[in-house]
Amino acid sequence: MTYLGLAGLFLLPVAVLAVVVAWRRQLGARWWTATAVSAVVLLVLTVVFDSLMIHVDLFRFEGAHLTGIRLVLAPLEDLAWPLAAVLLLPALWELSRPRSEREQSREEQHP
């Protein structure tokens, strides 16, 4: 199995969960914007620190299992894990909040 295939198996259900939670809980543009900003920050940090760790030879990837696309030194496939985290954690957080708390926060935002 390639790294991209493994990343897809992990990322696809997480992305579906995030979309379903956002749709069912009627989360708007503000939630998606916060998630997108968090994703950009986390992905940039991942590229920087993965590249540093690869540069000092802390770990290596089997080249035959990679797409060959790299951002600095970090393989593209390695970005699936932080992307999954930034989608999964807010979705789980939203699912864990009591319904009354969500309704109260909406009323406070839109009096």
Side-chain angles (χ1 to χ4, degrees):
M1 175 172 280
T2 65
Y3 291 115
L4 186 61
L6 182 61
L9 285 174
F10 188 74
L11 189 56
L12 184 62
V14 169
V16 169
L17 176 70
V19 169
V20 168
V21 167
W23 178 70
R24 297 225 24 192
R25 300 294 171 105
Q26 298 177 350
L27 303 173
R30 184 176 177 190
W31 189 82
W32 281 111
T33 301
T35 301
V37 168
S38 299
V40 168
V41 169
L42 195 55
L43 293 174
V44 167
L45 289 172
T46 299
V47 168
V48 169
F49 287 104
D50 275 13
S51 295
L52 287 172
M53 290 186 287
I54 291 167
H55 177 71
V56 298
D57 206 25
L58 288 177
F59 58 88
R60 297 177 187 168
F61 291 92
E62 176 60 44
H65 298 290
L66 294 172
T67 61
I69 300 170
R70 292 188 179 262
L71 302 170
V72 187
L73 295 177
L76 178 68
E77 296 87 341
D78 210 29
L79 298 179
W81 317 117
L83 184 58
V86 85
L87 290 172
L88 182 61
L89 293 176
L92 291 177
W93 176 264
E94 188 61 37
L95 286 174
S96 71
R97 292 174 58 193
R99 196 157 195 58
S100 61
E101 184 180 331
R102 278 193 310 279
E103 291 169 358
Q104 288 175 358
S105 68
R106 283 197 186 121
E107 289 173 6
E108 291 171 2
Q109 290 174 0
H110 303 289

